[in-house]
Amino acid sequence: MREVNVSEISETIARLSQEANYFLPEDVLAALQSGRQAEESATGQAILDEILENQQIARTEQAPICQDTGLAVVFIDIGQDVHLVGGDLREAVNEGVRKGYTEGYLRKSVVFPPVRGKNTNDNTPAILHLNIVPGDKIHIVVAPKGGGSENMSALKMMVPADGLDGVRRFVLETVSKGGSNPCPPVIVGVGIGGNFEHVAYLAKKALLRPVGQYNALPEIADLEKELLGKINQLGIGPMGLGGKVTALWCAVEVAPRHIASFPVAVNIQCHAARHKEAVI
Ligand code: SF4
């Protein structure tokens, strides 16, 4: 059994909260650069140039990529041979977010209660997804999620008869409805299967998969390619002003489902596709 003090988790989350907001992941950056090459609309090209310049300024000056520094979504895989000491894990996670957002002067975007709420003033609580895995390591991902793209996400409880055609229709309809609101070019995370709450988690997890890495299941990889092609034929383009680069990537995660249900979730991620990870 390996002992880990939860203060180490707080420190790591504080650092990742800031790094995620300052440094766009390399795979997303490469996708934006390829998108710039592929885009034919002059307006779209100009917008992509600005997005690329903006992320470079953020990287150099260690300033947020976007004013919406997001709700902190934290994924932790804890090895079952880890013994956590020094306090409560959930509080340690929130302490990390509090420290990262406060010391990094990142915008505090959380209100509570949700109806007529007041700002909690430290961007807590985080949304925490915990998973117990084999081993003695702790894998942490911090993914600040902006409100504009989250608002354009959707979930549908389809029936099995809707099948893959239903999935295609729902994904395209959701991206189409989003239009310029999620600050395209977007990354589209799709969950298929599981149940009501699990399918939303799958769609969120899909957003963490590196751009360019297809699903290991060949038929799902084919669906990812097909969906990305069709999304980019919608003509929404960079920031919704028209063009062929509406999405940089589409990732689909799947899980077993009930014979009577066919849940599908679409989680839209804006071009500021921020996430950073660390292993303790
Ligand atoms: S959707 Fe993304 S890029 Fe647009 S304002 Fe929100 S965080 Fe910023």
Side-chain angles (χ1 to χ4, degrees), residues 25 27-28 75 141 143 187-192 202-217 220-225 248-254 269 273 275 277:
D27 59 321
V28 179
F75 296 82
V141 181
I187 291 176
V188 182
V190 179
I192 306 174
L202 291 174
K204 181 75 74 194
K205 271 291 261 195
L207 296 177
L208 300 181
R209 177 137 44 86
V211 172
Q213 187 182 308
Y214 289 105
N215 192 295
L217 294 171
I220 302 300
D222 287 347
L223 179 65
E224 291 172 336
K225 289 173 201 164
L248 300 173
W249 189 242
C250 176
V252 181
E253 291 293 331
V254 295
Q269 168 66 63
H275 49 87
E277 60 187 290

Side-chain angles (χ1 to χ4, degrees), residues 24-25 28 32 51 65-66 68 144 146 182-183 185 269-275:
L24 201 63
V28 179
L32 281 165
I51 288 174
I65 296 163
C66 180
D68 183 350
C183 299
Q269 168 66 63
C270 60
H271 67 268
R274 298 155 289 187
H275 49 87

